[in-house]
Amino acid sequence: MNNNQHTAIQAPTMISGARKSWTVMRIWMSISVFIVRKYKSPARFIKIVRRVRQIKKRHNVAGAFKKVAYVDGRIYLSPYNNGWPTRNFNRAVDIEARKAINDPVGNLEQLNTVMIALTKKCPLNCEHCYEGPELNKKDTLTLDDHKKILKKLQNVGIPLIQYGGGDPMAKVNDMVELLKSSDGSSDIWISTSGFNFSKENARRLKDAGLTGLSISLDHHEAEEHNKFRRNEKAFDWAMEAAQHAKEVGLVINMSICLTREYTTKENLQSYLELSARIGASFIQLVEPRAVGNYAGKDVYLRSEHIDIAEQFFVETNADKSNNHLPIVFYPGYHQRKSGCPGAGSKYLYIDTDGYMSSCPFCRNKKTHILEDNTTESSIEVMRNEGCEIFEKYN
Ligand code: SF4
């Protein structure tokens, strides 16, 4: 299968212009109603609004975003925000509201996103894999362990949970069972290469409650992607996964590991356009780190590549002529501007054995997530250590 055979797939629904303004206004109105109902007193309301404004200002991007994504009845602002309206959409605001009025907030409960490595199994061995040395060893966590982890996270209200690996699709039956055991309070995503994402599996996962699919695609050309992923089927898997995800109404985020060679404006534009054709709502630009299969290698982007990626991120999202294309999401931009939200600030990684780390790249292994009496202190240590590369997020 080549790129052109996928051009018939419909573009995602992106909302822009007056409809986008009206949608965003409705979201802010619903947040305001939530704050007023929960916190009642005008003095508290003012404190909370001040804090929310400060945070918004800190994360503001020049020119702002001109669109939002609409998928299966919900609005999505990024792959790291819950769909609106959902039960846990206001969760992030609520945590900041509690901080604004000095209500004590636990280290685990304040997180927005937890990524859990479901399995060490994966049919690939990609050039950059951060779990490379662990791949295809025997899994130590059982389905029952994973159910306990999910329950623990949902009991404190974690709004967004991502399953990665290995490849979670190598254990699709467990993934379906886990989704069925969810209490429905979190948006749950899977990160995959596209392996085993057949139409039937897409339907099973959607019916069990899956929200979105993050598909790894590292080049817009099949041959180059397959070389990077060291498997001649990898590109077709990614394309077919997107097609099936779109057919069943999952949110699609295409995720690329930016190499120095790939980071040109032309390549990024081709990537964006391919992602639009296969139905993605987001593309995510991830910078390589010298961990896993890249350990000890000189893979970090240089300033000229970062400049290209930042310019592409800002200009593409702000340019009205791109309103029909997916939203570009670039965590590195925000990490440089506002500090890293990983390291137990807003994000936590649970590895294939159940141990907590700051993120898949900062592997400062802490205690096991199911050791209840050390969870809070481990996250506290992580927060104090901060990120190895970026400033701390406060
Ligand atoms: S990067 Fe993902 S798909 Fe590639 S080998 Fe690692 S776990 Fe598998």
Side-chain angles (χ1 to χ4, degrees):
M1 197 179 289
N2 61 44
N3 302 358
N4 298 330
Q5 284 173 274
H6 300 282
T7 51
I9 300 169
Q10 275 185 342
T13 308
M14 308 305 294
I15 297 180
S16 57
R19 269 185 76 207
K20 182 252 179 182
S21 303
W22 171 234
T23 303
V24 171
M25 195 187 293
R26 281 166 58 215
I27 293 174
W28 277 113
M29 276 166 14
S30 79
I31 291 172
S32 303
V33 169
F34 167 78
I35 296 172
V36 169
R37 275 199 188 139
K38 179 159 181 191
Y39 293 95
K40 298 187 173 67
S41 104
R44 284 169 148 198
F45 183 79
I46 289 165
K47 273 188 189 171
I48 293 165
V49 169
R50 257 193 218 137
R51 183 172 175 101
V52 171
R53 271 204 192 136
Q54 271 171 4
I55 294 168
K56 196 168 166 273
K57 198 170 158 195
R58 188 174 352 138
H59 295 286
N60 193 35
V61 179
F65 294 92
K66 298 279 186 256
K67 58 205 165 190
V68 293
Y70 178 77
V71 184
D72 197 24
R74 289 181 184 162
I75 300 293
Y76 294 86
L77 309 177
S78 91
Y80 291 88
N81 285 108
N82 289 59
W84 180 84
T86 49
R87 194 164 134 195
N88 242 341
F89 182 84
N90 289 327
R91 173 76 186 171
V93 176
D94 191 30
I95 291 293
E96 296 308 328
R98 286 171 56 194
K99 287 181 180 172
I101 60 168
N102 298 322
D103 187 10
V105 179
N107 290 329
L108 183 61
E109 68 171 333
Q110 61 141 12
L111 301 175
N112 182 69
T113 304
V114 175
M115 183 170 188
I116 305 168
L118 182 78
T119 175
K120 299 173 196 274
K121 306 286 172 229
C122 182
L124 302 181
N125 184 13
C126 305
E127 184 178 308
H128 67 312
C129 182
Y130 53 72
E131 284 290 0
E134 288 303 308
L135 286 186
N136 295 314
K137 290 184 182 167
K138 194 174 179 333
D139 276 327
T140 54
L141 294 172
T142 63
L143 174 59
D144 203 40
D145 291 330
H146 277 295
K147 284 185 180 171
K148 284 182 193 155
I149 294 171
L150 180 61
K151 192 165 192 293
K152 175 168 178 171
L153 299 178
Q154 292 191 322
N155 280 349
V156 296
I158 304 297
L160 207 139
I161 296 171
Q162 301 170 324
Y163 283 96
D167 196 321
M169 291 306 295
K171 281 202 155 178
V172 63
N173 293 339
D174 282 10
M175 202 53 246
V176 170
E177 286 309 307
L178 265 174
L179 284 161
K180 284 183 181 167
S181 76
S182 162
D183 67 9
S185 62
S186 321
D187 277 9
I188 298 182
W189 284 65
I190 288 178
S191 288
T192 177
S193 63
F195 164 72
N196 203 20
F197 208 86
S198 62
K199 189 166 183 178
E200 187 198 345
N201 283 337
R203 174 47 64 197
R204 289 171 71 204
L205 291 160
K206 172 73 178 177
D207 288 348
L210 188 67
T211 299
L213 197 68
S214 218
I215 304 172
S216 299
L217 181 73
D218 300 303
H219 205 293
H220 59 276
E221 289 173 7
E223 201 179 321
E224 292 300 320
H225 175 70
N226 292 345
K227 208 193 298 172
F228 190 82
R229 295 257 151 190
R230 299 167 173 163
N231 189 302
E232 61 182 20
K233 294 183 186 150
F235 188 84
D236 286 354
W237 287 346
M239 296 298 106
E240 284 159 17
Q243 183 173 346
H244 298 145
K246 185 175 183 323
E247 282 165 3
V248 300
L250 294 170
V251 191
I252 302 170
N253 172 43
M254 302 305 293
S255 181
I256 179 167
C257 175
L258 289 180
T259 58
R260 290 176 192 162
E261 300 71 41
Y262 192 79
T263 309
T264 65
K265 191 179 171 191
E266 295 70 30
N267 280 341
L268 293 173
Q269 187 64 28
S270 298
Y271 189 93
L272 185 65
E273 286 169 11
L274 171 63
S275 300
R277 290 200 297 276
I278 60 178
S281 297
F282 301 99
I283 70 165
Q284 174 175 257
L285 312 181
V286 180
E287 295 180 22
R289 299 268 173 258
V291 295
N293 286 349
Y294 269 165
K297 295 190 178 155
D298 178 22
V299 293
Y300 289 93
L301 294 185
R302 299 206 171 108
S303 59
E304 62 264 34
H305 308 113
I306 292 169
D307 288 348
I308 292 170
E310 288 195 346
Q311 198 179 355
F312 180 76
F313 162 70
V314 172
E315 291 182 1
T316 305
N317 284 331
D319 184 349
K320 280 186 191 170
S321 68
N322 287 328
N323 278 354
H324 59 297
L325 296 175
I327 297 165
V328 182
F329 186 67
Y330 181 21
Y333 178 92
H334 300 285
Q335 286 165 311
R336 288 188 179 86
K337 190 165 173 262
S338 329
C340 179
S345 290
K346 291 284 162 205
Y347 182 92
L348 180 74
Y349 180 62
I350 299 173
D351 71 17
T352 51
D353 294 315
Y355 290 88
M356 296 181 283
S357 296
S358 289
C359 79
F361 305 112
C362 293
R363 305 305 288 271
N364 48 356
K365 186 172 171 179
K366 298 290 179 284
T367 55
H368 200 282
I369 184 68
L370 293 177
E371 277 177 32
D372 289 339
N373 53 354
T374 55
T375 305
E376 288 293 294
S377 56
S378 282
I379 298 175
E380 188 66 38
V381 173
M382 226 180 268
R383 289 174 66 192
N384 290 335
E385 287 172 354
C387 173
E388 281 175 18
I389 298 166
F390 302 107
E391 293 287 315
K392 266 205 295 191
Y393 177 97
N394 289 306

